[in-house]
Amino acid sequence: MFERPQVSEYNEFFSRYIGLVPEGSLITLLEEQQAEANQIFSAVSAEHADYRYAEGKWSIKEVLGHVTDTERIISYRLLRIARGDSTPLPGFDQDAYMEGDPFRGLSVPDLLENYNAVRQATILLLKQLPAEAFTRSGIANQSPLTVRALACIIYGHERNHLSIIQERYLNA
């Protein structure tokens, strides 16, 4: 049912994320990634949750909040395109989403609850789409994107951030 997107199906910027998607069932990969993220973030203590590996970098809580916000936005784009909505969709400024420190009052368990709800919604959406929906194309941030490219971007974006968390936050 799922085939890797062709380079013509997404902006070159996203190739770094799509390149992180291994072969296999995307649904299974997303489920395994969810389990991995829960394992990683559940081990973060309340004291370490606000850790930043460098000045100006996001805290562990902010990275988890960012991953969740981004998946929610990309899933929304995916839904609209999958349903045949041809309205061009705007981009979003990830830094604007961090203004006002939106995750300050939340604990890692709170953030994981939100993450899990969003990931489950994404998985259910993908499971229920007809096969032909995966090749539908739309415009987001002034670039063409297919549903299957968006699904891969969700996985690859999180894979990128999980790697950073493990390398720069948890091994510090």
Side-chain angles (χ1 to χ4, degrees):
M1 174 165 127
F2 177 80
E3 292 182 28
R4 184 174 293 280
Q6 303 297 310
V7 293
S8 61
E9 297 179 39
Y10 53 89
N11 183 300
E12 185 180 333
F13 172 82
F14 295 116
S15 61
R16 65 185 186 156
Y17 297 138
I18 292 172
L20 294 174
V21 181
E23 294 299 320
S25 161
L26 188 59
I27 299 296
T28 301
L29 291 170
L30 289 167
E31 290 169 340
E32 291 170 353
Q33 187 178 61
Q34 181 180 10
E36 177 186 4
N38 275 281
Q39 181 180 12
I40 290 168
F41 288 105
S42 292
V44 174
S45 69
E47 297 76 31
H48 197 63
D50 290 315
Y51 172 75
R52 301 167 192 272
Y53 71 88
E55 180 73 27
K57 296 298 181 181
W58 293 338
S59 70
I60 294 173
K61 288 189 332 185
E62 288 171 327
V63 171
L64 179 54
H66 162 73
V67 165
T68 304
D69 282 353
T70 301
E71 182 164 336
R72 184 175 272 128
I73 291 165
I74 295 173
S75 287
Y76 172 72
R77 291 174 176 176
L78 187 152
L79 170 66
R80 289 188 59 175
I81 294 169
R83 298 287 194 251
D85 185 343
S86 61
T87 306
L89 301 167
F92 75 101
D93 179 357
Q94 66 181 15
D95 294 320
Y97 279 62
M98 290 298 172
E99 290 178 10
D101 200 8
F103 308 111
R104 176 181 6 163
L106 300 174
S107 66
V108 171
D110 292 336
L111 291 164
L112 274 174
E113 181 179 21
N114 190 28
Y115 163 80
N116 283 311
V118 169
R119 176 52 58 98
Q120 281 307 116
T122 298
I123 289 170
L124 288 172
L125 172 61
L126 291 171
K127 283 181 176 180
Q128 295 172 0
L129 289 178
E132 64 272 11
F134 284 89
T135 56
R136 288 189 184 130
S137 182
I139 302 292
N141 199 22
Q142 302 175 346
S143 295
L145 281 166
T146 62
V147 170
R148 66 184 174 188
L150 288 162
C152 286
I153 291 165
I154 289 170
Y155 178 91
H157 176 259
E158 183 171 323
R159 170 61 44 225
N160 177 63
H161 282 291
L162 289 177
S163 295
I164 292 169
I165 288 288
Q166 291 174 312
E167 294 166 12
R168 299 181 187 165
Y169 290 82
L170 301 182
N171 289 331

